[in-house]
């Protein structure tokens, strides 16, 4: 082959190569476009993000003329693209292959309010309880195991507990911090919300005191306050939950029975108290809060071996979604452990549509998808629920006013009361005072996690239910 022929062949090969570089990507884009237009393949719900995806916009002349209609079509097309969740997970996996990532941010970091000096704190006044929430200006909103370890509940008081504090530095995903293959949510103290919350619980106690009702308030710390090193918390601007809880407890009136399991959970932080891929505590974390409540009420808590134990492995929760399905979390799924009460496993709940359903206190979550296994506890977040224990006939009754942290807590109360009522204040529209009087309730139990008390909107809902 002479030089001229060699150059000609090389030019032809180069032309084919350049053509392939153009045609192949265009074909791929065309194929993806066709797939994207196949309406039956488009998802309507993201199970990972736990939200409904954007709906196709309704046509209007005004929206069409100002460009809103076409913009909304673009949002719908992008948000509901086929295999969206799988592609996000694939992107996170590819990104994780780039190398070690010390600080990555998803979302925005901020700072919480300074926690006031406890020596200057005075309890709130309840002389004139309000019927509506006060208006506020501030706005806020070891390698993980797939099977939960057995709890250390039979140790002698003199035997020191193992320290499970995590000291290694990890990665930051906005308000989600990943270290040791598990995730934590950064906590920001909100003084306005904290003061309103203390006012709500104190006012509720004042209103119900004449009925002989005892009001308990349980504050649940989140995993970052229990498991993560204090120095790293400060570095992340995460407020100290122990100090925040002391402040809130001191702001309440003496009539409120304040239950603070913070130190107990810190002492047991080597145990499986919180999920690594989800923001909730485990049933074991809720159990320690239950023992603190039992001590405050003056009753004997049941040991864990009293209950029937159920395990549901393969759980990937809210942190997994918030971190763009981080590979570190996907490789370390949680196991949801639940404890079935002896007296009954039956309950009823009233859903958002006003219909009543028969359900189980602990449901079999074996077939639930990987993002929904925490819903094994009391049917998830329902506006109103009732549990009646046929083995207790002393007329004892309580109502738990809670968000989703309360779901894992409620089953431990069942074998102490004849009747247990549950209200999720985010969705309940009835009157608490009427419920207490009509059902003969003696104990009102509020249970909220630290992050719920950082949101003015959430605390306003608590206030409205508490004084209703």
């Amino acid at each position: 082959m002479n030089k001229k022929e060699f150059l000609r062949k090389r030019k032809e090969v180069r032309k084919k190569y350049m053509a392939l570089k153009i045609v192949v990507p265009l074909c791929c884009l065309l194929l993806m476009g066709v797939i994207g237009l196949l309406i039956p393949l488009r998802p309507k719900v993201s199970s990972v993000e736990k939200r409904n995806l954007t709906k196709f916009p309704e046509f209007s002349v005004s929206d069409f003329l100002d460009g809103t209609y076409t913009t909304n079509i673009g949002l719908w097309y992008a948000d509901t693209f086929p295999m969206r969740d799988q592609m996000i997970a694939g992107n996170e996996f590819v990104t994780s292959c780039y190398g070690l990532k010390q600080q990555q941010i998803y979302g925005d970091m901020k700072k919480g309010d300074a926690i006031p000096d406890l020596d200057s704190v005075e309890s709130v006044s309840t002389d004139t309880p309000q019927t509506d929430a006060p208006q506020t200006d501030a706005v806020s909103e070891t390698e993980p195991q797939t099977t939960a370890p057995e709890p250390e509940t039979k140790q002698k008081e003199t035997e020191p507990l193992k320290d499970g504090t995590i000291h290694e530095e990890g990665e930051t995903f906005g308000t989600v911090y990943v270290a040791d293959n598990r995730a934590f949510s950064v906590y920001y103290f909100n003084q306005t919300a904290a003061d309103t919350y203390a006012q709500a619980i104190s006012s509720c106690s004042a209103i119900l005191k004449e009925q002989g009702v005892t009001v308990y308030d349980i504050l649940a710390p989140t995993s970052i306050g229990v498991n993560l090193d204090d120095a790293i918390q400060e570095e992340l601007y995460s407020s100290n939950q122990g100090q925040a809880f002391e402040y809130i407890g001191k702001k309440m009136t003496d009539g409120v029975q304040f239950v603070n399991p913070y130190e107990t959970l810190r002492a047991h932080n080597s145990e499986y108290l919180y999920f690594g891929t989800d923001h909730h505590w485990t049933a074991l974390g809720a159990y320690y809060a239950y023992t603190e409540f039992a001590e405050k009420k003056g009753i004997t808590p049941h040991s864990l071996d009293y209950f029937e134990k159920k395990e549901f492995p393969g759980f990937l929760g809210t942190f997994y979604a918030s971190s763009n399905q981080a590979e570190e979390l996907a490789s370390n799924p949680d196991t949801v452990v639940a404890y079935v009460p002896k007296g009954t496993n039956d309950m009823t709940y009233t859903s958002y549509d006003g219909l009543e359903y028969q359900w189980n206190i602990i449901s079999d979550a074996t077939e639930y998808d990987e993002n929904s296994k925490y819903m094994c506890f009391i049917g998830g977040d329902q506006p109103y629920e009732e549990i009646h224990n046929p083995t207790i006939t002393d007329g004892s009754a309580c109502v738990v006013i809670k968000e989703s942290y309360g779901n894992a807590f409620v089953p431990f109360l069942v074998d102490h009361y004849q009747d247990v009522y549950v209200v999720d204040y985010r969705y309940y529209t009835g009157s608490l005072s009427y419920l207490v009087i009509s059902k003969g309730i003696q104990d009102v139990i509020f249970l909220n996690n630290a992050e719920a008390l950082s949101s003015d909107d959430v605390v306003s809902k608590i206030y409205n239910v508490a004084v209703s």
Side-chain angles (χ1 to χ4, degrees):
M1 180 185 299
N2 58 38
K3 183 177 180 181
K4 186 176 181 180
E5 188 177 354
F6 171 77
L7 292 173
R8 182 181 62 79
K9 286 186 174 290
R10 189 173 73 170
K11 189 175 182 180
E12 289 178 359
V13 170
R14 185 175 179 79
K15 278 185 178 181
K16 291 179 181 179
Y17 172 72
M18 295 302 295
L20 284 174
K21 282 184 68 175
I22 296 171
V23 172
V24 171
L26 284 176
C27 290
C28 291
L29 288 173
L30 180 61
L31 178 62
M32 293 296 288
V34 172
I35 292 174
L37 292 172
L38 297 177
I39 301 296
L41 294 180
R42 304 190 76 90
K44 296 180 180 179
V45 177
S46 172
S47 60
V48 172
E49 296 177 273
K50 299 187 184 338
R51 69 177 179 89
N52 293 323
L53 300 176
T54 303
K55 293 182 179 179
F56 192 87
E58 293 185 6
F59 178 82
S60 71
V61 174
S62 60
D63 285 351
F64 179 77
L65 292 176
D66 65 15
T68 301
Y69 181 69
T70 52
T71 298
N72 288 339
I73 290 178
L75 291 173
W76 163 81
Y77 185 84
D79 201 38
T80 62
F81 199 87
M83 299 183 293
R84 174 182 180 278
D85 285 350
Q86 291 83 349
M87 285 191 286
I88 291 175
N91 177 69
E92 175 58 29
F93 172 75
V94 171
T95 303
S96 70
C97 295
Y98 293 165
L100 210 50
K101 304 167 291 180
Q102 288 303 315
Q103 293 289 327
Q104 273 208 339
I105 294 180
Y106 287 63
D108 300 316
M109 297 291 288
K110 59 181 182 179
K111 285 187 179 182
D113 296 337
I115 301 172
D117 184 355
L118 294 177
D119 292 335
S120 63
V121 176
E122 295 182 1
S123 62
V124 295
S125 170
T126 57
D127 293 338
T128 55
Q130 304 175 35
T131 55
D132 296 306
Q135 298 298 311
T136 61
D137 296 326
V139 178
S140 66
E141 232 304 349
T142 69
E143 183 174 357
Q145 303 177 18
T146 55
T147 301
E150 289 298 321
E152 303 169 22
T153 56
K154 296 183 180 181
Q155 300 183 54
K156 296 179 181 178
E157 292 183 4
T158 56
E159 182 182 347
L161 293 167
K162 181 181 177 183
D163 182 11
T165 304
I166 295 174
H167 302 279
E168 76 171 52
E169 294 202 6
E171 304 164 31
T172 304
F173 300 84
T175 57
V176 176
Y177 182 80
V178 177
D180 198 20
N181 294 330
R182 56 180 300 184
F184 305 88
S185 182
V186 181
Y187 163 67
Y188 301 112
F189 176 73
N190 179 339
Q191 185 175 350
T192 302
D195 290 346
T196 304
Y197 181 77
Q199 174 72 54
I201 307 304
S202 299
S203 296
C204 180
S205 178
I207 292 170
L208 298 176
K209 185 177 180 181
E210 296 180 2
Q211 308 298 328
V213 175
T214 303
V215 173
Y216 296 86
D217 182 66
I218 305 172
L219 296 185
T222 57
S223 59
I224 194 167
V226 171
N227 287 112
L228 208 59
D229 178 87
D230 288 342
I232 297 178
Q233 291 187 56
E234 291 180 13
E235 196 175 297
L236 297 171
Y237 305 119
S238 188
S239 305
N240 186 295
Q241 294 185 34
Q243 294 175 12
F245 286 6
E246 286 187 48
Y247 172 80
I248 294 170
K250 197 167 183 179
K251 288 286 289 185
M252 293 181 189
T253 55
D254 293 338
V256 178
Q257 298 298 304
F258 181 58
V259 180
N260 183 2
Y262 176 79
E263 292 298 338
T264 297
L265 290 168
R266 289 270 289 188
H268 288 268
N269 68 1
S270 65
E271 301 171 39
Y272 195 46
L273 305 181
Y274 294 90
F275 298 113
T277 69
D278 189 76
H279 71 284
H280 293 104
W281 57 9
T282 65
L284 180 58
Y287 174 80
Y288 283 122
Y290 151 72
T291 62
E292 292 290 311
F293 165 77
E295 181 178 352
K296 181 71 71 171
K297 181 171 171 58
I299 58 177
T300 302
H302 298 295
S303 62
L304 282 173
D305 56 16
Y306 166 90
F307 303 94
E308 180 187 359
K309 183 179 179 181
K310 300 283 188 180
E311 295 188 8
F312 309 111
F315 176 45
L316 294 173
T318 53
F319 286 155
Y320 176 61
S322 300
S323 63
N324 280 2
Q325 304 172 47
E327 179 62 25
E328 302 97 310
L329 303 184
S331 301
N332 294 275
D334 285 296
T335 292
V336 178
V337 177
Y339 297 93
V340 183
K342 277 190 176 181
T344 182
N345 193 35
D346 296 326
M347 57 170 279
T348 61
Y349 73 80
T350 302
S351 68
Y352 312 99
D353 56 13
L355 299 177
E356 186 175 283
Y357 296 87
Q358 302 294 319
W359 211 254
N360 290 131
I361 298 168
I362 302 297
S363 299
D364 184 354
T366 304
E367 300 302 322
Y368 289 11
D369 67 53
E370 62 185 12
N371 308 296
S372 303
K373 294 185 184 293
Y374 187 76
M375 290 184 67
C376 70
F377 301 108
I378 65 171
D381 299 329
Q382 304 298 337
Y384 176 73
E385 300 168 323
E386 291 190 6
I387 302 170
H388 304 291
N389 189 337
T391 68
I392 300 176
T393 58
D394 59 4
S396 57
C398 73
V399 58
V400 179
I401 303 163
K402 58 83 187 177
E403 31 76 20
S404 55
Y405 260 62
N407 299 0
F409 176 84
V410 168
F412 295 116
L413 299 179
V414 172
D415 289 326
H416 292 285
Y417 293 92
Q418 180 175 330
D419 302 306
V420 176
Y421 302 92
V422 183
V423 165
D424 193 315
Y425 58 77
R426 297 168 295 178
Y427 316 112
Y428 184 70
T429 58
S431 164
L432 177 60
S433 296
Y434 177 79
L435 177 66
V436 168
I437 294 171
S438 63
K439 301 295 186 180
I441 292 169
Q442 303 96 36
D443 294 340
V444 172
I445 305 167
F446 288 87
L447 193 156
N448 287 280
N449 78 83
E451 285 192 17
L453 307 188
S454 292
S455 167
D456 291 308
D457 290 339
V458 171
V459 170
S460 292
K461 292 177 182 179
I462 298 171
Y463 194 102
N464 288 333
V465 170
V467 301
S468 63

